Amino acid sequence: QVQLVESGGGLVQAGGSLRLSCAASGYTFSSKSMAWHRQAPGKQRELVARVDSGGSTDYAGSVKGRFTISRDNAKNTVYLQMNSLKPEATAVYSCSAVFSGGRWLYWGPGTQVSVSS
């Protein structure tokens, strides 16, 4: 069974940094795309960053230049390095895997990121 488990969330002051991790299991990690989404209270879930099997990345315009997605295929883990954090980044961040048929098939439970002003 596919399982995704996020870690690394927490409280940070504006301007600070956090690194989120997502440990994946139950499928061939290296051959599939991975992504990070976030959802704040009262807002729709949005795509933050994604990385495909070849290492190509995409970012939401709001985080370009400050967030970096990466993957370690030997560890079946994807990371999201978040720098220069702003209060509006406060949200539950979720890891997703396997983009197929226009949607991400698998999701982790999410980890809370809170940025204070």
Side-chain angles (χ1 to χ4, degrees):
Q1 295 182 347
V2 174
Q3 185 174 9
L4 305 174
V5 181
E6 303 96 340
S7 62
L11 305 175
V12 64
Q13 291 184 312
S17 298
L18 283 174
R19 189 178 75 159
L20 306 182
S21 299
C22 174
S25 61
Y27 70 102
T28 304
F29 177 86
S30 62
S31 67
K32 303 297 182 180
S33 295
M34 301 288 293
W36 289 95
H37 293 74
R38 67 185 178 188
Q39 187 169 27
K43 296 184 178 180
Q44 294 185 357
R45 184 172 60 202
E46 64 175 337
L47 177 68
V48 175
R50 60 187 174 193
V51 57
D52 68 13
S53 60
S56 181
T57 59
D58 289 298
Y59 299 91
S62 59
V63 307
K64 285 182 178 178
R66 298 182 298 110
F67 288 19
T68 303
I69 188 171
S70 61
R71 64 193 299 162
D72 185 339
N73 290 339
K75 296 182 177 179
N76 285 4
T77 300
V78 64
Y79 304 95
L80 185 68
Q81 178 67 46
M82 304 184 293
N83 298 326
S84 301
L85 282 164
K86 302 175 181 179
E88 50 263 45
T90 296
V92 173
Y93 285 71
S94 299
C95 176
S96 61
V98 189
F99 191 75
S100 180
R103 67 185 184 96
W104 295 91
L105 298 186
Y106 305 107
W107 294 82
T111 186
Q112 177 71 47
V113 172
S114 298
V115 184
S116 62
S117 61

